[in-house]
């Protein structure tokens, strides 16, 4: 049995006339009649009888109409769904992100754009460090990565910079430097410090200390944390001072003060990455939705 047999059967049942059914199907009458006979032979039942120059469904034929219609609807739905998958309108996309992309609204912005563009796509979110995301991309475990600037790019991965965020000094409201008109490097020298660690970078601490020394002060790092929320909590508790990217400090925290440091030239940069080989349709939809193509 072929799908055309079911379509022909339903057309004849609806029209009750071979000529009109053939016209609806855009075929001639002989192949339509032949197809109906083939279907009756295969099923072993008579589907139609002639009555007063009209074709009527037999009892068996009438009973099979809902089944034939349901079967075709399922097939049509299957084909439509396959087409949406091929076009990236349906299916799943796995998106990784670093902590700053979450707090800074970068993740939310990109997901909002994707939902407007392809609302039926299911998104799986994975919180991970930059290096872990890039490894997962290369291993086909992630489709999109929202990262900080990586130490190196794996083969076969494309990266595009999204934005750069200035860095602010984070202080407790009880800190003697809070609300001071100008804070210089000497004011921070020897200060107790809370630092955001980089689990994927064994040399992050050395580079951070060196960067601070180049700016003119030496932090006394008392705490190393992996999450921005932990950093803010420790600073609010008076455990030390810290630096954090401005984009991630969007909400007002009563116990904290954020001060710009005009003499600190470094920024925190955010990137989006995906596999270089022909992207999957869902990845193409993500890139299109966020104007990254």
């Amino acid at each position: 049995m072929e799908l055309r047999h079911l379509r022909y059967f339903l057309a004849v049942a609806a029209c009750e006339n071979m000529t009109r059914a053939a016209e609806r199907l855009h075929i001639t009458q002989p192949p339509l009649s032949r197809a109906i006979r083939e279907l009756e032979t295969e099923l072993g039942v008579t589907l139609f009888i002639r009555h007063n120059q009209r074709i009527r469904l037999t009892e068996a034929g009438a009973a099979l109409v809902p089944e034939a219609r349901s079967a075709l609807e399922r097939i049509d739905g299957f084909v439509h769904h396959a087409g949406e998958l091929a076009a990236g309108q349906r299916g799943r996309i796995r998106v990784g992100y670093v902590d700053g992309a979450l707090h800074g609204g970068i993740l939310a912005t990109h997901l909002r754009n994707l939902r407007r563009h392809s609302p039926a796509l299911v998104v799986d979110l994975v919180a991970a460090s930059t290096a872990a995301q890039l490894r997962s991309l290369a291993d086909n475990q992630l489709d999109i990565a929202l990262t900080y600037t990586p130490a190196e790019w794996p083969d076969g991965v494309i990266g595009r910079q999204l934005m750069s965020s200035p860095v602010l000094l984070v202080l407790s409201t009880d800190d003697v430097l809070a609300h001071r008109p100008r804070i210089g490097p000497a004011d921070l020298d020897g200060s107790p410090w809370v630092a955001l660690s980089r689990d994927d970078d064994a040399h992050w601490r050395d580079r951070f200390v060196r960067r601070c020394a180049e700016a003119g002060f030496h932090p006394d790092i008392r705490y190393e944390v992996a999450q921005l929320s932990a950093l803010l909590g420790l600073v609010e508790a008076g455990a030390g001072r810290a630096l954090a990217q401005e984009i991630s400090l969007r909400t007002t925290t009563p116990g904290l003060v954020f001060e710009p440091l005009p003499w600190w030239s470094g920024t925190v940069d955010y990137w989006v990455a995906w596999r270089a080989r022909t992207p999957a349709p869902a990845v193409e939809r993500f890139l299109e939705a966020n104007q990254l193509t």
Side-chain angles (χ1 to χ4, degrees):
M1 182 189 302
E2 300 177 19
L3 289 178
R4 65 183 178 88
H5 288 111
L6 296 182
R7 298 189 190 281
Y8 291 179
F9 166 59
L10 291 176
V12 175
C15 295
E16 296 185 335
N17 182 281
M18 281 289 184
T19 301
R20 287 198 298 271
E23 290 173 352
R24 173 185 289 192
L25 295 166
H26 305 292
I27 61 174
T28 59
Q29 184 174 332
L32 175 57
S33 298
R34 185 165 56 252
I36 295 299
R37 290 195 300 270
E38 291 171 354
L39 182 58
E40 289 179 323
T41 299
E42 184 168 351
L43 296 177
V45 296
T46 300
L47 300 172
F48 298 100
I49 58 172
R50 290 189 176 274
H51 180 73
N52 295 333
Q53 297 184 342
R54 298 183 67 180
I55 297 178
R56 299 285 191 181
L57 284 164
T58 64
E59 184 176 346
L64 289 173
V65 165
E67 296 295 331
R69 186 177 293 120
S70 177
L72 283 179
E73 287 174 352
R74 289 196 298 271
I75 292 296
D76 290 341
F78 173 82
V79 172
H80 180 71
H81 186 67
E84 289 185 322
L85 287 172
Q89 297 300 329
R90 284 189 179 272
R92 307 183 80 90
I93 184 170
R94 299 157 297 181
V95 179
Y97 63 93
V98 290
D99 189 52
L102 172 65
H103 289 282
I106 296 172
L107 175 64
T109 296
H110 283 72
L111 293 182
R112 190 179 304 115
N113 292 339
L114 178 63
R115 184 161 298 280
R116 290 174 182 152
H117 188 272
S118 302
L121 267 180
V122 176
V123 180
D124 294 330
L125 295 176
V126 179
S129 66
T130 293
Q133 287 189 64
L134 296 181
R135 287 194 299 270
S136 294
L137 266 183
D139 294 340
N140 202 34
Q141 299 302 308
L142 271 184
D143 299 308
I144 292 289
L146 298 175
T147 73
Y148 298 121
T149 303
E152 60 180 353
W153 292 98
D155 292 339
V157 172
I158 292 176
R160 177 173 296 184
Q161 187 171 340
L162 293 173
M163 65 168 299
S164 294
S165 176
V167 171
L168 300 179
L169 177 65
V170 187
L171 304 168
S172 164
T173 52
D174 297 328
D175 195 299
V176 295
L177 297 181
H179 308 297
R180 181 176 292 189
R182 186 183 184 282
I183 298 174
D187 298 316
L188 302 178
D189 197 42
S191 294
W193 209 262
V194 182
L196 278 173
S197 64
R198 296 282 297 270
D199 291 339
D200 54 334
D201 183 356
H203 305 291
W204 75 268
R205 184 186 177 107
D206 293 339
R207 278 204 296 273
F208 177 73
V209 171
R210 185 168 59 251
R211 178 71 185 83
C212 292
E214 291 170 353
F217 72 99
H218 296 81
D220 178 11
I221 300 177
R222 304 281 182 87
Y223 298 92
E224 300 175 10
V225 296
Q227 301 293 327
L228 179 64
S229 55
L231 178 143
L232 298 179
L234 285 169
V235 174
E236 186 177 8
R241 297 161 178 165
L243 295 175
Q245 55 267 36
E246 183 179 31
I247 189 175
S248 297
L249 307 175
R250 300 180 302 160
T251 58
T252 301
T253 304
L256 295 174
V257 174
F258 306 115
E259 297 290 349
L261 298 176
W263 44 268
W264 183 277
S265 59
T267 61
V268 175
D269 300 331
Y270 291 90
W271 294 72
V272 59
W274 64 95
R275 285 182 294 280
R277 59 181 180 271
T278 304
V283 174
E284 291 181 340
R285 298 295 83 76
F286 182 95
L287 299 176
E288 290 171 2
N290 289 286
Q291 300 181 349
L292 295 169
T293 54

